[in-house]
Amino acid sequence: MTMQHDLVSVESLSAADVMNLIHLAHAFKAGASLTPVRPTYAMNLFFENSTRTHTSFEMAEKRLGMQVLSFDAGHSSVTKGESLLDTLKTIQAIGVDIAVVRHPENGFYQAVLDAQLTMGLANAGDGSGQHPSQSLLDMMTIYEEFGRFEGLTVGIVGDLAHSRVARSNMMLLTRLGARVIFGGPAAWYPADFATYGPHVEIDALVAQVDVMMLLRVQHERLTAETETTFEAGNYHNDYGLTCERAARLNPNAIIMHPAPVNRGVEMASELVECAQSRIFPQMTNGMYMRMAILTEMLLAQGLMNPTDVEALR
Ligand code: CP
């Protein structure tokens, strides 16, 4: 396995790497436990809001026996002009082993990688760039359901233009052998997505998919003009998973969403917890997948026993 001093993008992951992480995450879910070879320290630096990613990384760190140091971006020296890189060098100097960072700037991690820190870096979401831990928990959830990726069709529908989840997932799904098709407003279908799959109308898409993956409309990233003209009811009717469209899904198809969900916009509120929905199981899997990611990162620093990790993969 090539894993993984840092995890900043799914582009560095082979299909075998993904399957190893899924097996490790499933082992944790089945009750396995691992602890590092010495006391280890994590810090989660979130420069954008988060509930799921932040909480599940912290839970994963604690379940691996790591000490978690608090960080509040609004009260940090970033407010005095300190750069992210200098902030990370500072916490490394103080003794942090792994930094988990969410940041609004696409590719914020490149300067950090170039600096070759000894501390590990996990990208918890960069702008509209990458969200590798979300993508890996999504792969875990799909694999748990179907036991394969080959032959599956995954529809990714919604605010594609702003979605780091869509970018990471289209890369991993196609690498693992699944077919991807996209839906939502055509104006929100970025040109580079065409390499990974076609854009189709939502009514044609629902009849084809094994996985219906909805994306949140990211109001915080819309232009002022788009936000002014956006109308939630129209969006739901034109592009959303309505109850009527959900009734036309294959009975074995599952519904996914990285959340938070705009209920009644990208999907009908009553579908969030319907029998085909895996939205809350995704969140549960996220904690186990983040345990797996952190384990591989600690292993790469010599902070996990290789024999113990290999036994769980
Ligand atoms: N899915 C996701 O990244 O959720 P949060 O923004 O709450 O972390």
Side-chain angles (χ1 to χ4, degrees), residues 46 48-56 102 124-125 131 133-134 137 164-165 216 257-260 282-283 290:
F46 278 65
E48 280 187 348
N49 293 339
S50 168
T51 297
R52 276 144 291 273
T53 312
H54 194 165
T55 308
S56 61
R102 172 171 287 189
H131 198 343
S133 65
Q134 176 70 45
L137 77 88
R164 53 199 176 206
V165 178
R216 183 174 69 88
H257 191 309
Q282 282 175 263
M283 298 175 203
R290 288 170 177 125

Side-chain angles (χ1 to χ4, degrees), residues 88-152:
L88 293 174
K89 285 178 177 174
T90 299
I91 65 169
Q92 173 179 276
I94 291 167
V96 170
D97 299 294
I98 289 184
V100 177
V101 178
R102 172 171 287 189
H103 200 279
E105 184 186 325
N106 283 26
F108 75 82
Y109 48 79
Q110 196 54 56
V112 185
L113 296 186
D114 292 345
Q116 298 193 319
L117 303 184
T118 54
M119 178 180 68
L121 172 67
N123 176 10
D126 62 296
S128 58
Q130 285 280 316
H131 198 343
S133 65
Q134 176 70 45
S135 185
L136 286 162
L137 77 88
D138 288 345
M139 298 309 115
M140 177 184 177
T141 304
I142 293 169
Y143 190 77
E144 194 169 65
E145 191 73 29
F146 298 100
R148 62 188 166 91
F149 294 96
E150 295 80 7
L152 296 181

Side-chain angles (χ1 to χ4, degrees), residues 32-43:
S33 62
L34 286 175
T35 49
V37 298
R38 63 150 170 83
T40 57
Y41 300 91
M43 186 177 272

Side-chain angles (χ1 to χ4, degrees), residues 204-280:
L205 184 143
V206 288
Q208 300 180 48
V209 296
D210 301 289
V211 178
M212 181 77 188
M213 188 179 289
L214 286 312
L215 300 171
R216 183 174 69 88
V217 176
Q218 298 192 34
H219 291 282
E220 71 276 22
R221 299 188 209 273
L222 297 182
T223 63
E225 185 187 353
T226 307
E227 183 64 10
T228 304
T229 55
F230 183 84
E231 209 287 304
N234 289 343
Y235 182 92
H236 186 61
N237 290 335
D238 293 344
Y239 308 111
L241 187 64
T242 61
C243 291
E244 186 277 332
R245 288 185 181 121
R248 288 191 279 119
L249 286 170
N250 181 318
N252 296 321
I254 59 170
I255 299 167
M256 297 175 65
H257 191 309
V261 179
N262 294 313
R263 287 176 181 255
V265 184
E266 57 265 10
M267 62 189 298
S269 180
E270 51 268 57
L271 297 176
V272 172
E273 285 147 303
C274 73
Q276 285 172 278
S277 170
R278 297 294 178 273
I279 294 172
F280 286 97

